[in-house]
Amino acid sequence: MEREDEESAESLYTVIEQSAGVLGVPCSRDKVMPILSIYGDALARAVIAFRVATGQDHAGDLDCRFTVPLEVDPYQLAVANGLLAPTGHPVADLLADVRAHCPIDSYGIDFGVVGGFKKIWLVLPRGDLQLVSKLAGIPSMPRSLGASLDFFARHGLGDTVGLLGIDYRKRTVNVYFGEPPAEGFGPEAVRSMLREVDQAEPSAQMLGIGQRAFGVYVTLNWDSPQVERICFAVATSDPAELDVPLDPRVELFVKHIQASEVNTRFVYAVASQPDGEYYKLQSYYRWQPEVLDIMQLSDGAVADPV
């Protein structure tokens, strides 16, 4: 088994190195392999995805994320192996607090080839999505989640959550809603939503994605009383069929993936910011049926463009 784990880590590193090379992202074995090795026993069965993003804070990196089973405490492993430094900040307690109050289906790890260890994902059971109001009552959760309950209800984001992402570097939390409107979010709804939380006026491209979004998530932190960022996502087998212009770097990565894989699956997303917006594309290197549960999608939703 140990030999198989080593081979899984080595194989994944080779793919990461090749993908980083396509994007011109420096890839250091000394930085990447320790992360893969620590969680190596999960790689053979993991869902694995890569993500590229636009914007000054994101363009120089390539993110890799993969699932790990419940038997692993991903935060404790990260701290014990020097991937994260211990801290007295509430972000350090959030995973344990959520686990104490809610059922968890699985975890995920997120790291940058350049930026190192970034996030831990908590996947909630599709059949047992958690009320936003319940999550807001968790001791270490940012208070802005509870303060935004009326905002979520007023804009039709839904009252349940299917996925949480804890960013230990930026000290933020992503909250993914489980029941967005079936018709997506119309232009006026998107404009109103962003205006209320002091975000920039959305572009036509963002409005188009919002209209077809299968999912929406917000980013919160412990220092602000309101939502920091809103993101809309669409699922597709070919981003070119979304009829939206792709950033040249994103388009380069799409072509790389399509040249190396037969059945491609992507999630294309746009995130708001006070000074504009940026775009993210996620591709699945290894797909498993449970991805549909993680994304709260029906069968066939990713086979056909949204």
Side-chain angles (χ1 to χ4, degrees):
M1 178 64 71
E2 183 177 346
R3 179 61 179 170
E4 291 179 1
D5 296 342
E6 290 177 358
E7 290 177 351
S8 295
E10 286 287 351
S11 297
L12 181 54
Y13 177 77
T14 298
V15 175
I16 291 172
E17 188 176 49
Q18 292 171 348
S19 299
V22 169
L23 296 170
V25 172
C27 183
S28 168
R29 183 180 181 86
D30 291 341
K31 178 172 286 188
V32 173
M33 277 303 294
I35 299 174
L36 300 183
S37 299
I38 289 167
Y39 301 97
D41 58 351
L43 291 177
R45 301 170 297 280
V47 174
I48 301 172
F50 298 111
R51 192 196 75 169
V52 294
T54 66
Q56 184 176 357
D57 294 337
H58 312 278
D61 211 345
L62 168 68
D63 290 337
C64 177
R65 53 268 309 261
F66 54 86
T67 54
V68 296
L70 283 177
E71 296 76 29
V72 174
D73 186 323
Y75 177 71
Q76 292 300 327
L77 271 179
V79 172
N81 288 276
L83 301 180
L84 291 173
T87 172
H89 191 275
V91 70
D93 300 321
L94 187 54
L95 186 149
D97 280 355
V98 173
R99 187 170 53 214
H101 290 81
C102 306
I104 306 297
D105 199 48
S106 63
Y107 298 117
I109 299 300
D110 192 336
F111 71 93
V113 173
V114 174
F117 194 97
K118 294 181 178 180
K119 293 183 183 180
I120 293 176
W121 303 92
L122 291 78
V123 181
L124 308 181
R126 188 169 186 171
D128 194 8
L129 302 182
Q130 296 296 294
L131 290 171
V132 183
S133 56
K134 177 181 177 181
L135 293 172
I138 291 175
S140 56
M141 187 70 68
R143 297 304 93 195
S144 50
L145 184 61
S148 301
L149 293 179
D150 289 344
F151 172 84
F152 301 146
R154 190 165 56 254
H155 292 287
L157 272 68
D159 58 2
T160 58
V161 171
L163 183 68
L164 294 169
I166 306 173
D167 191 319
Y168 291 92
R169 303 289 186 187
K170 296 182 178 178
R171 294 182 174 178
T172 60
V173 180
N174 301 139
V175 179
Y176 292 73
F177 289 87
E179 299 174 352
E183 67 278 9
F185 298 88
E188 288 309 311
V190 173
R191 289 192 181 98
S192 175
M193 201 183 305
L194 298 185
R195 191 178 302 121
E196 188 171 338
V197 292
D198 301 322
Q199 305 290 287
E201 181 71 15
S203 67
Q205 183 174 355
M206 186 175 194
L207 295 176
I209 292 175
Q211 184 75 63
R212 291 172 285 183
F214 78 83
V216 59
Y217 74 83
V218 299
T219 299
L220 310 166
N221 64 54
W222 282 265
D223 300 320
S224 172
Q226 68 179 22
V227 169
E228 175 183 304
R229 188 165 61 247
I230 301 175
C231 183
F232 303 95
V234 294
T236 179
S237 58
D238 184 0
E241 296 186 18
L242 292 174
D243 195 30
V244 295
L246 297 178
D247 176 87
R249 185 170 180 270
V250 171
E251 186 174 15
L252 177 66
F253 192 68
V254 168
K255 290 180 178 178
H256 165 65
I257 296 298
Q258 290 176 331
S260 57
E261 297 183 28
V262 176
N263 298 314
T264 56
R265 298 175 174 89
F266 300 94
V267 172
Y268 189 58
V270 55
S272 69
Q273 294 188 130
D275 60 350
E277 59 202 44
Y278 68 95
Y279 293 83
K280 301 179 283 187
L281 180 121
Q282 178 163 300
S283 67
Y284 286 87
Y285 169 69
R286 185 188 296 148
W287 177 274
Q288 301 284 10
E290 60 264 31
V291 173
L292 294 175
D293 289 336
I294 295 172
M295 296 166 64
Q296 310 297 323
L297 288 172
S298 60
D299 292 343
V302 184
D304 301 309
V306 174

